[in-house]
Coordinates of all heavy atoms in Angstrom, one line a residue:
I177 N 2.9 10.1 3.5 CA 2.3 10.6 2.3 C 0.9 11.0 2.7 O 0.2 10.2 3.2 CB 2.4 9.7 1.2 CG1 3.9 9.5 0.8 CG2 1.6 10.2 0.0 CD1 4.1 8.5 -0.3
S178 N 0.4 12.1 2.2 CA -0.9 12.6 2.5 C -1.6 13.0 1.2 O -1.0 13.7 0.4 CB -0.9 13.7 3.5 OG -2.2 14.3 3.6
Q179 N -2.9 12.7 1.1 CA -3.6 13.2 -0.1 C -5.1 13.2 0.4 O -5.7 12.2 0.7 CB -3.5 12.2 -1.3 CG -4.3 12.6 -2.5 CD -4.2 11.6 -3.6 OE1 -4.0 10.4 -3.4 NE2 -4.4 12.1 -4.8
D180 N -5.7 14.4 0.4 CA -7.1 14.6 0.7 C -7.6 13.9 1.9 O -8.6 13.2 1.9 CB -7.9 14.1 -0.5 CG -7.6 14.8 -1.8 OD1 -7.2 16.0 -1.7 OD2 -7.8 14.2 -2.9
G181 N -6.9 14.1 3.0 CA -7.3 13.5 4.3 C -6.9 12.0 4.4 O -7.4 11.4 5.4
H182 N -6.2 11.5 3.5 CA -5.7 10.1 3.6 C -4.2 10.2 3.9 O -3.4 10.9 3.3 CB -5.9 9.4 2.3 CG -7.2 9.4 1.7 ND1 -7.5 9.7 0.4 CD2 -8.4 9.3 2.3 CE1 -8.8 9.7 0.2 NE2 -9.4 9.4 1.4
F183 N -3.8 9.5 5.0 CA -2.4 9.4 5.4 C -1.9 8.0 5.3 O -2.6 7.1 5.7 CB -2.3 10.0 6.8 CG -2.7 11.4 6.9 CD1 -4.0 11.7 7.2 CD2 -1.8 12.4 6.7 CE1 -4.5 13.0 7.3 CE2 -2.2 13.8 6.8 CZ -3.6 14.0 7.1
T184 N -0.7 7.8 4.9 CA -0.1 6.5 4.7 C 1.3 6.5 5.3 O 2.1 7.4 5.0 CB -0.1 6.1 3.3 OG1 -1.4 6.2 2.7 CG2 0.5 4.7 3.1
M185 N 1.6 5.5 6.1 CA 3.0 5.2 6.5 C 3.4 4.0 5.7 O 2.7 3.1 5.5 CB 3.0 4.9 8.0 CG 2.6 6.1 8.9 SD 2.6 5.7 10.6 CE 4.3 5.6 10.9
Y186 N 4.6 4.1 5.2 CA 5.2 3.1 4.3 C 6.5 2.6 4.8 O 7.2 3.2 5.6 CB 5.2 3.6 2.9 CG 6.1 4.8 2.7 CD1 7.4 4.7 2.5 CD2 5.5 6.1 2.8 CE1 8.2 5.8 2.4 CE2 6.3 7.2 2.6 CZ 7.7 7.1 2.4 OH 8.5 8.2 2.3
I187 N 7.0 1.5 4.2 CA 8.3 1.0 4.4 C 9.2 1.4 3.2 O 8.8 1.2 2.1 CB 8.2 -0.6 4.5 CG1 7.3 -1.0 5.7 CG2 9.6 -1.2 4.6 CD1 6.9 -2.4 5.7
E188 N 10.3 1.9 3.5 CA 11.3 2.3 2.5 C 12.2 1.1 2.3 O 13.1 0.8 3.2 CB 12.1 3.5 2.9 CG 13.2 3.9 2.0 CD 12.7 4.1 0.6 OE1 12.0 5.1 0.3 OE2 13.2 3.3 -0.3
P189 N 12.1 0.3 1.2 CA 12.9 -0.9 1.0 C 14.4 -0.7 1.0 O 15.1 -1.5 1.5 CB 12.4 -1.5 -0.3 CG 11.1 -0.8 -0.5 CD 11.1 0.5 0.2
S190 N 14.8 0.4 0.5 CA 16.3 0.6 0.4 C 16.9 0.8 1.8 O 18.1 0.6 1.9 CB 16.6 1.9 -0.5 OG 16.0 3.0 0.1
F191 N 16.1 1.1 2.8 CA 16.6 1.3 4.1 C 17.2 -0.1 4.6 O 18.1 -0.1 5.4 CB 15.5 1.8 5.1 CG 15.9 1.9 6.5 CD1 16.6 3.0 7.0 CD2 15.6 0.9 7.4 CE1 17.0 3.1 8.3 CE2 15.9 1.0 8.8 CZ 16.7 2.1 9.2
F192 N 16.6 -1.2 4.2 CA 17.0 -2.5 4.6 C 18.1 -3.1 3.8 O 18.6 -4.2 4.0 CB 15.8 -3.4 4.7 CG 14.8 -2.9 5.6 CD1 13.7 -2.2 5.2 CD2 14.9 -3.1 7.0 CE1 12.7 -1.8 6.1 CE2 14.0 -2.7 7.9 CZ 12.9 -2.0 7.5
G193 N 18.5 -2.4 2.7 CA 19.6 -2.9 1.9 C 19.1 -3.1 0.4 O 18.0 -3.1 0.1
D194 N 20.1 -3.3 -0.4 CA 19.9 -3.4 -1.9 C 19.0 -4.7 -2.2 O 18.2 -4.6 -3.1 CB 21.2 -3.5 -2.6 CG 21.9 -2.2 -2.6 OD1 21.2 -1.1 -2.4 OD2 23.1 -2.2 -2.8
S195 N 19.2 -5.8 -1.5 CA 18.4 -7.0 -1.8 C 16.9 -6.8 -1.6 O 16.1 -7.3 -2.4 CB 18.9 -8.2 -1.0 OG 18.7 -8.0 0.4
D196 N 16.5 -6.1 -0.6 CA 15.1 -5.8 -0.4 C 14.6 -4.9 -1.4 O 13.4 -5.1 -1.9 CB 14.8 -5.2 1.0 CG 15.0 -6.3 2.1 OD1 14.9 -7.5 1.8 OD2 15.3 -5.9 3.3
N197 N 15.3 -3.9 -1.8 CA 14.9 -2.9 -2.8 C 14.8 -3.7 -4.1 O 13.8 -3.4 -4.9 CB 15.9 -1.8 -2.9 CG 15.4 -0.6 -3.6 OD1 14.2 -0.3 -3.5 ND2 16.2 0.1 -4.3
T198 N 15.7 -4.5 -4.5 CA 15.7 -5.3 -5.7 C 14.5 -6.2 -5.7 O 13.8 -6.4 -6.7 CB 17.0 -6.1 -5.9 OG1 18.1 -5.2 -5.9 CG2 17.0 -6.9 -7.2
A199 N 14.2 -6.9 -4.6 CA 13.0 -7.8 -4.5 C 11.7 -7.1 -4.7 O 10.8 -7.6 -5.4 CB 13.0 -8.5 -3.1
V200 N 11.6 -5.9 -4.2 CA 10.4 -5.1 -4.4 C 10.2 -4.7 -5.8 O 9.1 -4.9 -6.4 CB 10.3 -3.8 -3.5 CG1 9.2 -2.9 -3.9 CG2 10.2 -4.2 -2.0
D201 N 11.3 -4.3 -6.4 CA 11.2 -3.9 -7.8 C 10.9 -5.1 -8.8 O 10.2 -4.9 -9.7 CB 12.5 -3.2 -8.3 CG 12.7 -1.8 -7.7 OD1 11.6 -1.2 -7.3 OD2 13.8 -1.3 -7.6
A202 N 11.5 -6.2 -8.5 CA 11.3 -7.4 -9.3 C 9.8 -7.9 -9.1 O 9.2 -8.3 -10.1 CB 12.2 -8.5 -8.9
T203 N 9.3 -7.8 -7.9 CA 7.9 -8.2 -7.7 C 6.9 -7.3 -8.4 O 5.9 -7.7 -8.9 CB 7.6 -8.2 -6.2 OG1 8.5 -9.1 -5.5 CG2 6.2 -8.7 -5.9
R204 N 7.2 -6.0 -8.4 CA 6.4 -5.0 -9.0 C 6.2 -5.3 -10.5 O 5.1 -5.0 -11.0 CB 7.0 -3.6 -8.8 CG 6.8 -3.0 -7.5 CD 7.4 -1.6 -7.4 NE 6.7 -0.7 -8.3 CZ 7.4 0.1 -9.1 NH1 8.7 0.3 -9.0 NH2 6.7 0.9 -9.9
K205 N 7.2 -5.8 -11.1 CA 7.1 -6.1 -12.6 C 6.0 -7.2 -12.8 O 5.4 -7.3 -13.9 CB 8.4 -6.6 -13.1 CG 9.4 -5.6 -13.1 CD 10.8 -6.1 -13.6 CE 11.8 -5.0 -13.5 NZ 13.2 -5.5 -13.9
L206 N 5.6 -8.0 -11.8 CA 4.7 -9.0 -12.0 C 3.2 -8.6 -11.6 O 2.3 -9.3 -11.8 CB 5.0 -10.2 -11.1 CG 6.4 -10.8 -11.3 CD1 6.7 -11.9 -10.2 CD2 6.5 -11.5 -12.7
L207 N 3.1 -7.4 -11.0 CA 1.8 -7.0 -10.5 C 1.1 -6.0 -11.4 O 1.7 -5.3 -12.1 CB 2.1 -6.3 -9.1 CG 2.7 -7.2 -8.0 CD1 3.1 -6.4 -6.8 CD2 1.7 -8.3 -7.7
P208 N -0.2 -5.9 -11.2 CA -1.0 -5.0 -12.0 C -0.6 -3.6 -11.7 O -0.3 -3.2 -10.5 CB -2.5 -5.2 -11.5 CG -2.4 -6.6 -10.9 CD -1.0 -6.8 -10.4
N209 N -0.5 -2.7 -12.7 CA -0.1 -1.3 -12.6 C 1.3 -1.1 -11.9 O 1.6 -0.1 -11.5 CB -1.1 -0.5 -11.7 CG -2.5 -0.5 -12.3 OD1 -2.6 -0.4 -13.5 ND2 -3.5 -0.7 -11.5
A210 N 2.1 -2.2 -11.9 CA 3.4 -2.2 -11.3 C 3.4 -1.6 -9.9 O 4.3 -0.9 -9.5 CB 4.4 -1.4 -12.2
S211 N 2.4 -1.9 -9.2 CA 2.2 -1.4 -7.8 C 2.4 -2.5 -6.8 O 1.7 -3.5 -6.9 CB 0.9 -0.7 -7.6 OG 0.7 -0.2 -6.3
F212 N 3.2 -2.3 -5.8 CA 3.4 -3.2 -4.8 C 2.2 -3.3 -3.8 O 2.1 -4.2 -3.0 CB 4.7 -2.9 -4.0 CG 5.2 -4.0 -3.1 CD1 5.9 -5.1 -3.7 CD2 4.9 -4.0 -1.8 CE1 6.3 -6.1 -2.9 CE2 5.4 -5.1 -1.0 CZ 6.1 -6.1 -1.6
N213 N 1.3 -2.3 -3.9 CA 0.2 -2.2 -3.0 C -1.1 -2.3 -3.7 O -1.2 -2.6 -4.9 CB 0.2 -0.8 -2.3 CG 1.5 -0.6 -1.6 OD1 1.8 -1.3 -0.6 ND2 2.4 0.3 -2.0
H214 N -2.2 -2.1 -3.0 CA -3.6 -2.2 -3.5 C -4.0 -0.9 -4.2 O -5.0 -0.9 -4.8 CB -4.6 -2.5 -2.4 CG -4.6 -1.4 -1.4 ND1 -3.6 -1.4 -0.4 CD2 -5.4 -0.4 -1.1 CE1 -3.9 -0.3 0.4 NE2 -4.9 0.3 0.0
T215 N -3.1 0.1 -4.2 CA -3.4 1.3 -4.9 C -2.4 1.6 -6.0 O -1.3 1.1 -6.0 CB -3.3 2.5 -3.9 OG1 -3.6 3.7 -4.6 CG2 -2.0 2.6 -3.2
D216 N -2.8 2.3 -7.0 CA -1.9 2.7 -8.1 C -1.5 4.1 -8.0 O -0.9 4.7 -8.9 CB -2.5 2.4 -9.5 CG -3.8 3.2 -9.8 OD1 -4.2 3.9 -8.9 OD2 -4.3 3.1 -10.9
F217 N -1.7 4.7 -6.8 CA -1.2 6.1 -6.5 C 0.3 6.1 -6.7 O 1.1 5.4 -6.0 CB -1.6 6.5 -5.1 CG -1.2 7.9 -4.7 CD1 -1.6 9.0 -5.4 CD2 -0.5 8.1 -3.5 CE1 -1.2 10.3 -5.0 CE2 -0.1 9.3 -3.1 CZ -0.5 10.4 -3.9
A218 N 0.8 6.9 -7.7 CA 2.2 6.8 -8.1 C 3.2 6.9 -7.0 O 4.2 6.1 -7.0 CB 2.4 7.9 -9.2
P219 N 3.1 7.8 -6.1 CA 4.2 7.8 -5.0 C 4.3 6.6 -4.2 O 5.3 6.3 -3.5 CB 3.8 9.0 -4.2 CG 3.0 9.9 -5.1 CD 2.2 8.9 -6.0
L220 N 3.2 5.7 -4.2 CA 3.3 4.5 -3.3 C 3.5 3.2 -4.1 O 3.5 2.2 -3.5 CB 1.9 4.4 -2.6 CG 1.7 5.4 -1.5 CD1 0.3 5.3 -0.9 CD2 2.7 5.3 -0.4
R221 N 3.7 3.3 -5.4 CA 3.8 2.1 -6.2 C 5.0 1.2 -5.7 O 4.9 0.0 -5.8 CB 3.9 2.4 -7.7 CG 2.6 2.8 -8.3 CD 2.7 3.0 -9.7 NE 1.5 3.5 -10.3 CZ 1.4 4.1 -11.4 NH1 2.4 4.3 -12.2 NH2 0.2 4.6 -11.8
R222 N 6.1 1.8 -5.3 CA 7.2 0.9 -4.9 C 7.5 0.9 -3.4 O 8.5 0.4 -3.0 CB 8.5 1.4 -5.7 CG 8.9 2.8 -5.4 CD 10.3 3.2 -5.8 NE 11.3 2.4 -5.1 CZ 11.7 2.8 -3.9 NH1 11.2 3.8 -3.2 NH2 12.7 2.0 -3.3
L223 N 6.6 1.5 -2.7 CA 6.8 1.6 -1.2 C 5.7 0.8 -0.5 O 4.5 1.1 -0.5 CB 6.7 3.0 -0.7 CG 7.7 4.0 -1.4 CD1 7.3 5.4 -1.1 CD2 9.1 3.6 -1.0
P224 N 6.0 -0.4 0.1 CA 5.0 -1.2 0.8 C 4.3 -0.4 1.9 O 4.9 0.2 2.7 CB 5.8 -2.3 1.4 CG 7.1 -2.4 0.5 CD 7.3 -1.0 0.1
I225 N 3.0 -0.4 1.8 CA 2.2 0.3 2.8 C 2.2 -0.4 4.1 O 1.9 -1.6 4.2 CB 0.7 0.5 2.3 CG1 0.7 1.5 1.2 CG2 -0.2 1.0 3.5 CD1 -0.7 1.6 0.5
A226 N 2.5 0.3 5.2 CA 2.4 -0.3 6.6 C 1.2 0.1 7.3 O 0.7 -0.7 8.1 CB 3.7 0.1 7.4
L227 N 0.6 1.3 7.0 CA -0.5 1.8 7.8 C -1.2 2.8 6.9 O -0.6 3.7 6.3 CB 0.0 2.5 9.1 CG -1.1 3.2 9.9 CD1 -2.0 2.2 10.6 CD2 -0.4 4.0 11.0
S228 N -2.6 2.7 6.9 CA -3.4 3.7 6.2 C -4.3 4.4 7.2 O -4.9 3.7 8.1 CB -4.3 3.0 5.1 OG -3.5 2.5 4.1
I229 N -4.5 5.7 7.1 CA -5.4 6.5 7.9 C -6.3 7.3 7.1 O -5.8 8.0 6.2 CB -4.6 7.3 8.9 CG1 -3.6 6.5 9.8 CG2 -5.5 8.2 9.8 CD1 -2.6 7.3 10.5
E230 N -7.6 7.4 7.5 CA -8.5 8.3 6.8 C -8.9 9.3 7.9 O -9.4 9.0 9.0 CB -9.8 7.5 6.4 CG -11.0 8.3 6.0 CD -10.9 8.7 4.5 OE1 -10.0 8.2 3.8 OE2 -11.8 9.5 4.1
S231 N -8.7 10.6 7.6 CA -9.1 11.6 8.6 C -10.4 12.3 8.1 O -10.6 12.5 7.0 CB -8.0 12.6 8.7 OG -7.8 13.4 7.6
K232 N -11.2 12.6 9.1 CA -12.5 13.3 8.9 C -12.6 14.4 10.0 O -12.0 14.3 11.1 CB -13.7 12.3 9.0 CG -13.7 11.3 8.0 CD -14.1 11.8 6.6 CE -14.2 10.7 5.6 NZ -14.5 11.2 4.3
T233 N -13.5 15.4 9.8 CA -13.8 16.3 10.8 C -14.5 15.6 12.0 O -15.3 14.7 11.7 CB -14.7 17.4 10.2 OG1 -14.1 18.0 9.1 CG2 -15.0 18.5 11.2
T234 N -14.2 16.0 13.2 CA -14.7 15.4 14.3 C -16.3 15.2 14.3 O -17.0 16.2 14.0 CB -14.4 16.2 15.6 OG1 -13.0 16.3 15.7 CG2 -14.9 15.5 16.9
G235 N -16.7 14.0 14.4 CA -18.1 13.7 14.5 C -18.8 13.6 13.1 O -20.0 13.3 13.0
H236 N -18.1 13.9 12.1 CA -18.7 13.8 10.7 C -18.2 12.6 9.9 O -17.0 12.4 9.9 CB -18.4 15.1 10.0 CG -19.0 16.3 10.6 ND1 -20.4 16.6 10.4 CD2 -18.5 17.3 11.4 CE1 -20.6 17.8 11.1 NE2 -19.5 18.2 11.7
Q237 N -19.1 11.9 9.3 CA -18.8 10.9 8.4 C -17.9 9.8 9.0 O -17.1 9.2 8.3 CB -18.1 11.4 7.1 CG -19.0 12.4 6.4 CD -18.3 13.1 5.3 OE1 -17.1 13.4 5.4 NE2 -19.0 13.5 4.3
L238 N -18.1 9.5 10.3 CA -17.3 8.5 11.0 C -17.5 7.1 10.3 O -16.5 6.4 10.0 CB -17.6 8.4 12.5 CG -16.8 7.3 13.2 CD1 -15.3 7.6 13.2 CD2 -17.3 7.3 14.7
L239 N -18.7 6.7 10.1 CA -19.0 5.4 9.5 C -18.4 5.3 8.1 O -17.8 4.3 7.7 CB -20.5 5.2 9.4 CG -20.9 3.8 8.8 CD1 -20.3 2.7 9.6 CD2 -22.4 3.7 8.7
E240 N -18.5 6.4 7.3 CA -17.9 6.4 6.0 C -16.4 6.2 6.1 O -15.8 5.4 5.3 CB -18.2 7.8 5.3 CG -17.6 7.9 3.9 CD -17.9 9.2 3.3 OE1 -19.0 9.7 3.4 OE2 -17.0 9.8 2.7
A241 N -15.7 6.8 7.0 CA -14.2 6.7 7.2 C -13.9 5.3 7.6 O -12.9 4.7 7.1 CB -13.7 7.7 8.2
E242 N -14.7 4.7 8.5 CA -14.4 3.3 8.9 C -14.6 2.3 7.8 O -13.8 1.4 7.6 CB -15.4 2.9 10.1 CG -15.0 3.6 11.4 CD -16.1 3.4 12.5 OE1 -17.2 2.9 12.2 OE2 -15.7 3.7 13.6
V243 N -15.6 2.5 7.0 CA -15.8 1.7 5.8 C -14.7 1.8 4.8 O -14.2 0.8 4.3 CB -17.2 2.0 5.1 CG1 -17.3 1.3 3.8 CG2 -18.3 1.6 6.0
Q244 N -14.2 3.0 4.6 CA -13.1 3.3 3.6 C -11.9 2.6 4.1 O -11.2 1.9 3.3 CB -12.9 4.8 3.5 CG -11.8 5.1 2.5 CD -12.1 4.6 1.1 OE1 -13.1 5.1 0.5 NE2 -11.3 3.8 0.5
V245 N -11.5 2.7 5.3 CA -10.3 2.0 5.9 C -10.5 0.5 5.8 O -9.5 -0.2 5.4 CB -10.0 2.5 7.3 CG1 -8.9 1.7 7.9 CG2 -9.6 4.0 7.3
G246 N -11.7 0.0 6.0 CA -11.9 -1.4 5.9 C -11.7 -1.9 4.5 O -11.1 -3.0 4.2
V247 N -12.2 -1.1 3.5 CA -12.0 -1.5 2.1 C -10.5 -1.5 1.7 O -10.0 -2.4 1.1 CB -12.8 -0.5 1.2 CG1 -12.4 -0.6 -0.3 CG2 -14.3 -0.7 1.4
W248 N -9.8 -0.5 2.2 CA -8.3 -0.4 1.9 C -7.6 -1.6 2.5 O -6.8 -2.3 1.9 CB -7.7 0.8 2.5 CG -8.0 2.1 1.9 CD1 -8.5 2.3 0.6 CD2 -7.9 3.4 2.4 NE1 -8.7 3.6 0.4 CE2 -8.3 4.3 1.5 CE3 -7.5 3.9 3.7 CZ2 -8.4 5.7 1.7 CZ3 -7.5 5.2 3.9 CH2 -7.9 6.1 2.9
L249 N -8.0 -2.0 3.8 CA -7.3 -3.1 4.4 C -7.6 -4.4 3.7 O -6.8 -5.3 3.5 CB -7.7 -3.2 5.9 CG -7.1 -2.1 6.8 CD1 -7.8 -2.2 8.2 CD2 -5.6 -2.3 6.9
A250 N -8.9 -4.6 3.3 CA -9.3 -5.8 2.6 C -8.5 -5.9 1.3 O -8.0 -7.0 0.9 CB -10.8 -5.8 2.3
A251 N -8.4 -4.8 0.6 CA -7.6 -4.8 -0.7 C -6.1 -5.1 -0.5 O -5.5 -5.8 -1.2 CB -7.8 -3.5 -1.4
Q252 N -5.6 -4.5 0.6 CA -4.2 -4.7 0.9 C -3.9 -6.2 1.2 O -3.0 -6.8 0.7 CB -3.7 -3.8 2.0 CG -2.2 -3.9 2.3 CD -1.8 -2.9 3.4 OE1 -2.6 -2.3 4.1 NE2 -0.5 -2.7 3.5
W253 N -4.8 -6.8 2.1 CA -4.6 -8.2 2.4 C -4.8 -9.1 1.2 O -4.1 -10.1 1.1 CB -5.5 -8.6 3.6 CG -4.9 -8.1 4.9 CD1 -5.4 -7.0 5.6 CD2 -3.8 -8.6 5.6 NE1 -4.6 -6.8 6.7 CE2 -3.6 -7.8 6.7 CE3 -2.9 -9.6 5.3 CZ2 -2.6 -8.0 7.6 CZ3 -1.9 -9.8 6.2 CH2 -1.7 -9.1 7.4
R254 N -5.7 -8.7 0.4 CA -5.9 -9.5 -0.9 C -4.7 -9.5 -1.7 O -4.2 -10.5 -2.3 CB -7.1 -9.0 -1.6 CG -7.5 -9.9 -2.8 CD -8.8 -9.4 -3.5 NE -9.8 -9.0 -2.5 CZ -10.3 -7.7 -2.5 NH1 -10.0 -6.8 -3.3 NH2 -11.2 -7.4 -1.6
M255 N -4.1 -8.3 -1.8 CA -2.8 -8.1 -2.6 C -1.7 -9.0 -2.0 O -1.0 -9.7 -2.7 CB -2.4 -6.7 -2.7 CG -1.1 -6.4 -3.4 SD -1.0 -7.0 -5.1 CE -1.9 -5.7 -5.9
L256 N -1.5 -8.9 -0.7 CA -0.5 -9.6 0.0 C -0.7 -11.1 -0.2 O 0.3 -11.9 -0.4 CB -0.4 -9.3 1.5 CG 0.0 -7.8 1.8 CD1 -0.1 -7.6 3.3 CD2 1.5 -7.6 1.3
K257 N -1.9 -11.6 -0.1 CA -2.2 -13.0 -0.3 C -1.9 -13.5 -1.7 O -1.4 -14.5 -1.9 CB -3.7 -13.3 0.0 CG -4.1 -14.7 0.1 CD -5.6 -14.9 0.5 CE -5.9 -16.3 0.5 NZ -7.3 -16.5 0.9
S258 N -2.2 -12.6 -2.7 CA -1.9 -13.0 -4.1 C -0.3 -13.0 -4.3 O 0.1 -13.8 -5.1 CB -2.5 -12.0 -5.0 OG -1.8 -10.7 -5.0
L259 N 0.4 -12.2 -3.5 CA 1.9 -12.3 -3.6 C 2.4 -13.7 -3.2 O 3.4 -14.1 -3.7 CB 2.5 -11.2 -2.8 CG 2.4 -9.8 -3.3 CD1 3.0 -8.8 -2.3 CD2 3.1 -9.6 -4.6
L260 N 1.8 -14.3 -2.2 CA 2.2 -15.6 -1.8 C 2.1 -16.7 -2.8 O 2.8 -17.7 -2.8 CB 1.4 -16.0 -0.5 CG 1.7 -15.2 0.7 CD1 0.7 -15.6 1.8 CD2 3.1 -15.3 1.2
K261 N 1.2 -16.5 -3.8 CA 0.9 -17.4 -4.8 C 1.8 -17.2 -6.1 O 1.8 -18.1 -7.0 CB -0.6 -17.4 -5.2 CG -1.5 -17.8 -4.1 CD -2.9 -17.6 -4.6 CE -3.9 -17.9 -3.4 NZ -5.3 -17.7 -3.7
M262 N 2.5 -16.1 -6.1 CA 3.4 -15.8 -7.3 C 4.7 -16.5 -7.2 O 5.2 -16.8 -6.1 CB 3.6 -14.3 -7.4 CG 2.4 -13.5 -7.6 SD 2.8 -11.8 -7.8 CE 1.9 -11.5 -9.3
P263 N 5.3 -16.8 -8.4 CA 6.6 -17.4 -8.3 C 7.6 -16.4 -7.7 O 7.4 -15.2 -7.9 CB 6.9 -17.6 -9.8 CG 6.0 -16.8 -10.6 CD 4.8 -16.5 -9.7
T264 N 8.6 -16.9 -7.1 CA 9.6 -16.0 -6.4 C 10.5 -15.4 -7.5 O 11.0 -16.1 -8.4 CB 10.5 -16.8 -5.5 OG1 9.7 -17.5 -4.6 CG2 11.5 -15.9 -4.8
P265 N 10.6 -14.0 -7.5 CA 11.5 -13.3 -8.5 C 12.9 -13.7 -8.2 O 13.3 -13.9 -7.1 CB 11.2 -11.8 -8.3 CG 10.4 -11.7 -7.1 CD 10.0 -13.1 -6.6
E266 N 13.7 -13.8 -9.3 CA 15.1 -14.1 -9.1 C 15.9 -13.0 -8.7 O 15.7 -11.9 -9.0 CB 15.6 -14.6 -10.5 CG 14.7 -15.8 -10.9 CD 15.5 -16.9 -11.6 OE1 16.7 -16.8 -11.6 OE2 14.8 -17.8 -12.1

């Protein structure tokens, strides 16, 4: 998925079977904005993010891009850590 120079690779839960898809959907009901990720970007709400990329023109705004990816990663890890503290969905 791409939006404004941001690229994301995600996991398609249904690829692994109905139980994984059901687990993601059940977990989303417990999360803010019903998003499995640190973003509420609608196409990614039910697709666990595996990789985030920020693209910039060569030599321009490199530090800004590095900081942005760092912020995304910190938010993603914070979200994953909070999932460990949640009750297991049935």
Side-chain angles (χ1 to χ4, degrees):
I177 293 178
S178 171
Q179 180 186 26
D180 300 332
H182 306 137
F183 299 88
T184 303
M185 294 178 74
Y186 59 86
I187 298 166
E188 175 55 66
S190 62
F191 178 79
F192 298 100
D194 289 337
S195 62
D196 288 337
N197 200 34
T198 301
V200 168
D201 288 339
T203 303
R204 285 182 57 223
K205 292 177 184 177
L206 304 172
L207 298 171
N209 299 318
S211 179
F212 195 80
N213 301 296
H214 60 281
T215 178
D216 62 356
F217 181 54
L220 290 174
R221 286 186 184 160
R222 62 166 293 282
L223 303 169
I225 292 175
L227 176 68
S228 296
I229 300 169
E230 169 86 7
S231 67
K232 297 286 184 184
T233 306
T234 304
H236 295 281
Q237 303 170 326
L238 178 61
L239 180 59
E240 181 182 315
E242 289 174 346
V243 169
Q244 182 63 58
V245 170
V247 169
W248 290 340
L249 288 172
Q252 184 175 15
W253 281 106
R254 190 175 318 118
M255 175 62 76
L256 292 172
K257 189 175 179 180
S258 73
L259 288 175
L260 294 174
K261 297 177 185 176
M262 296 183 129
T264 305
E266 305 219 5

